[in-house]
Amino acid sequence: MAAGKGSGAGIDHQSPVPKYSQLREILLDLVETELGADQAIPSERELSARFGLSRMTVRQSVDHLVSEGRLYRVQGKGTFVARPKIEMPLRLASFTEDMRARGLEPGSRDLDRRTDAASAHLARMLLIEPGDPVHVIERLRTADGIPMAVERSHIPDAVAPGLGEEPLAGRSLYDLLASTYGVLLDRGEQTIEAGIADPTDAALLDLPAGAAAVLLLQRRSFVGDRPVEFAVSTYRADRYQLHVALEVPRTGR
Ligand code: GLP
């Protein structure tokens, strides 16, 4: 096994740094400098022989990198380098725009399209009356064919009359709103929180049943003061991360 350019790499058995932690750094270096996405790392047996470590120690290091989303295991096949995560956009971008900007092919599959009477909650979110008709659009969003998110959009009929009849497969909702209804979104707000995928979303997103972590998004998009879309989305936490620039508070230092 090549050991990663930066590490010079071996285990220092005299060091106070725990051995699993030293091996984690060696593996991280290997992942970052030598192996590409979906390439296999050496087996646990090879790692334990090469570095003179117990299988338990090796497993502990690999487990860490798996839980951080840097590696993934395929039963019976081995452990592989995960693709780098996608940065969650902090702009009012459509899924289609965002994927294209990254050189990925956006895709979407309709899961459900219906027109509901607004519940009290939805009416508050969309600043309409309870009972007003709202188009509900549930879609599985894919990037290069890989499931990334389940998105559930709610759009008042008053904003886009007859939206329920418009085909959306392979189309951008935001483009459709702009081209057919002249709705040009100019503002948005979004909350992002950690959650556990419910069994339906886990299956759609190819996540293991049980306790797969996801990012739950709620977005309201506006034209002026008028809410146009209220969307509740489930994004794969193993594929997305948040990256924010930090500024020193003006009053702080
Ligand atoms: C993002 C937002 C959704 C929005 C979607 C529109 O993914 N989270 O709220 O519905 O973009 O994407 P598109 O125009 O590609 O259909």
Side-chain angles (χ1 to χ4, degrees), residues 85-91 95-105 144 240:
K85 291 188 185 183
I86 290 180
E87 277 180 24
M88 178 76 67
L90 297 175
R91 291 169 290 112
F95 185 85
T96 303
E97 269 178 308
D98 185 47
M99 289 304 124
R100 292 214 171 115
R102 298 167 197 278
L104 301 171
E105 187 51 35
D144 286 350
Y240 276 91

Side-chain angles (χ1 to χ4, degrees), residues 11 13 19-20 23 44-62:
I11 299 291
H13 290 266
K19 292 187 185 65
Y20 80 86
L23 180 60
E44 288 180 13
R45 186 191 314 209
E46 282 172 72
L47 291 170
S48 96
R50 175 177 167 118
F51 291 106
L53 297 170
S54 74
R55 291 287 285 274
M56 224 175 75
T57 304
V58 170
R59 174 152 289 238
Q60 204 180 357
S61 311
V62 174

Side-chain angles (χ1 to χ4, degrees), residues 93-96 139 141 151 153 171-175 190 219 229 231 233 235:
S94 75
F95 185 85
T96 303
R139 294 179 295 168
R141 313 305 307 261
E151 297 205 296
S153 296
R171 261 182 107 179
S172 156
L173 173 62
Y174 284 3
D175 277 356
Q190 183 158 290
R219 175 188 287 197
E229 180 195 31
S233 309
Y235 276 68

